Amino acid sequence: MYTQALNTTEAEDRNLEDAGRAARFQQRIDAEQRIEPNDWMPAAYRKTLTRQISQHAHSEIVGMLPEGNWITRAPTLRRKAALLAKVQDECGHGLYLYAAAETLGSSREELVDQLLSGKAKYSSIFNYPTLTWADIGAIGWLVDGAAIMNQIPLCRCSYGPYARAMIRVCKEESFHQRQGYEIMLTLAKGSAEQKAMAQDALNRWWWPCLMMFGPPDGASQHSDTSTMWKIKRFSNDELRQKFVDATVPQAHYLGLTPPDAELKYNEATGHWDYGTIDWDEFKQVLAGNGPCNRDRLAARLKAHEEGAWVREAAAAYADKRKSKMAA
Ligand SMILES: [Fe+2]
Ligand SMILES: [Fe+2]
């Protein structure tokens, strides 16, 4: 009896302590202080961030595939060098982000396994094919452009390692966006065939890029707590609107037309109104039924298996160094 009563009191004490910690944690967030890996944090905050950062890392890594596909076919040496640098940057982004996720207590192996087993998600956009060279322009301009809209607010995310990783990532993304736009500009000012190729790429990438911001406000299951914890600073629809507003004039400058008959400048709001997004298509791609889901995962698996010797060699070298230092 006595022991039980004591336990109850201890449990109550612990609950009170946790409530106090949770309140102090929220106060720090409200005061715009950064949360660092060794600080106390609610389990749900850790879980949300691990999910978001690892999905982001997977997206960077899978995102190398559609463009890597064009490295050998880039039309000039200059284009090839820029594309190589860009794809390499994406790999670096993946690595910073896995490292940031590791500070929350999950190992990189665990996170990579989740990707390879199909358990973890990555951005739906990378399940679309790159059919022509203009797609490389459209990806840089639109996909990296949308990524910038999403990621600039993340530089102020409450979790320190994620926010700091994003600062460098965003600088590199802006180079990617410009190299893509410059490809589009060259095609749009080129022959009739080149301009048609640029328009066709815009037609195919426009809607999937609008889907990159995620489901419409109110339909997303993670938004409320992410906003409270200052992981998310703008809603999906706010970010989507910012992207549309920034991108439509860029398309017009190219002499191209986004494939949306309802796209119209709204004098009253100062924004571009756009048509209805096909959310069924988005759901299908997320469910694994996009045009390239299976190819992407198969390519990642193959690369992972073929890279096994590199991981083994690195681990063997690390073990050797450790035993040398101990001796
Ligand atoms: Fe990136
Ligand atoms: Fe990028």
Side-chain angles (χ1 to χ4, degrees):
M1 237 359 242
Y2 177 76
T3 325
Q4 207 176 3
L6 187 71
N7 281 346
T8 311
T9 314
E10 276 177 5
E12 279 168 4
D13 280 354
R14 255 201 312 276
N15 282 344
L16 271 176
E17 207 179 303
D18 273 359
R21 280 169 159 174
R24 279 197 299 278
F25 171 83
Q26 191 60 46
Q27 276 165 9
R28 287 186 59 193
I29 297 217
D30 294 342
E32 300 287 335
Q33 286 174 17
R34 290 258 196 275
I35 306 301
E36 296 298 338
N38 291 331
D39 294 342
W40 184 90
M41 61 187 83
Y45 178 83
R46 189 182 298 278
K47 198 174 154 201
T48 298
L49 269 171
T50 304
R51 182 183 47 79
Q52 180 170 336
I53 302 174
S54 59
Q55 281 182 9
H56 192 165
H58 302 328
S59 303
E60 300 284 354
I61 297 296
V62 177
M64 295 163 73
L65 295 170
E67 291 180 289
N69 193 24
W70 276 89
I71 291 173
T72 54
R73 292 176 286 168
T76 66
L77 184 59
R78 188 171 81 89
R79 295 289 186 207
K80 189 194 287 262
L83 183 59
L84 259 176
K86 187 212 187 240
V87 173
Q88 207 168 355
D89 284 351
E90 305 300 7
C91 180
H93 298 172
L95 299 185
Y96 307 151
L97 288 163
Y98 282 128
E102 280 184 306
T103 66
L104 290 159
S106 301
S107 72
R108 186 174 308 194
E109 289 74 16
E110 210 178 305
L111 301 172
V112 170
D113 276 353
Q114 288 172 2
L115 170 68
L116 297 177
S117 66
K119 240 171 74 190
K121 299 242 180 300
Y122 56 84
S123 178
S124 56
I125 196 75
F126 300 119
N127 292 311
Y128 289 86
T130 41
L131 304 179
T132 69
W133 172 250
D135 289 25
I136 300 306
I139 290 183
W141 169 37
L142 301 171
V143 176
D144 291 274
I148 293 171
M149 282 300 168
N150 257 326
Q151 292 172 9
I152 283 183
L154 288 173
C155 297
R156 293 186 295 128
C157 155
S158 60
Y159 188 56
Y162 193 25
R164 288 189 290 272
M166 277 305 115
I167 292 171
R168 175 154 173 188
V169 168
C170 283
K171 285 186 182 152
E172 292 176 348
E173 295 303 356
S174 95
F175 154 69
H176 300 168
Q177 200 266 356
R178 279 171 212 187
Q179 70 90 37
Y181 193 71
E182 205 234 333
I183 291 173
M184 294 302 271
L185 196 58
T186 307
L187 291 173
K189 303 235 174 297
S191 66
E193 284 96 331
Q194 285 173 316
K195 189 169 179 185
M197 195 194 269
Q199 179 64 53
D200 172 63
L202 172 59
N203 292 349
R204 284 179 293 105
W205 289 92
W206 177 256
W207 290 107
C209 280
L210 296 195
M211 295 174 197
M212 278 177 75
F213 297 93
D217 294 354
S220 170
Q221 47 176 343
H222 304 296
S223 281
D224 292 349
T225 40
S226 288
T227 305
M228 179 180 87
W229 286 328
K230 299 200 174 166
I231 297 170
K232 202 170 169 62
R233 303 235 174 206
F234 296 96
S235 75
N236 293 354
D237 285 337
E238 282 170 341
L239 290 168
R240 194 166 7 248
Q241 186 66 58
K242 274 174 188 270
F243 173 76
V244 172
D245 290 344
T247 312
V248 172
Q250 293 169 357
H252 291 162
Y253 184 79
L254 294 172
L256 302 178
T257 315
D260 178 359
E262 289 171 61
L263 196 65
K264 196 167 172 265
Y265 186 70
N266 185 328
E267 295 283 351
T269 61
H271 295 295
W272 285 87
D273 292 339
Y274 53 90
T276 313
I277 296 171
D278 180 358
W279 291 113
D280 281 340
E281 177 181 324
F282 180 69
K283 278 185 208 145
Q284 281 300 321
V285 177
L286 278 194
N289 303 320
C292 298
N293 293 58
R294 282 170 198 84
D295 286 358
R296 299 294 182 237
L297 215 53
R300 267 321 306 153
L301 257 169
K302 183 168 177 276
H304 191 72
E305 280 161 10
E306 288 175 358
W309 70 271
V310 179
R311 291 188 296 279
E312 280 160 23
Y317 178 71
D319 287 347
K320 211 168 140 194
R321 263 185 68 129
K322 238 187 258 164
S323 48
K324 235 188 195 170
M325 278 160 71

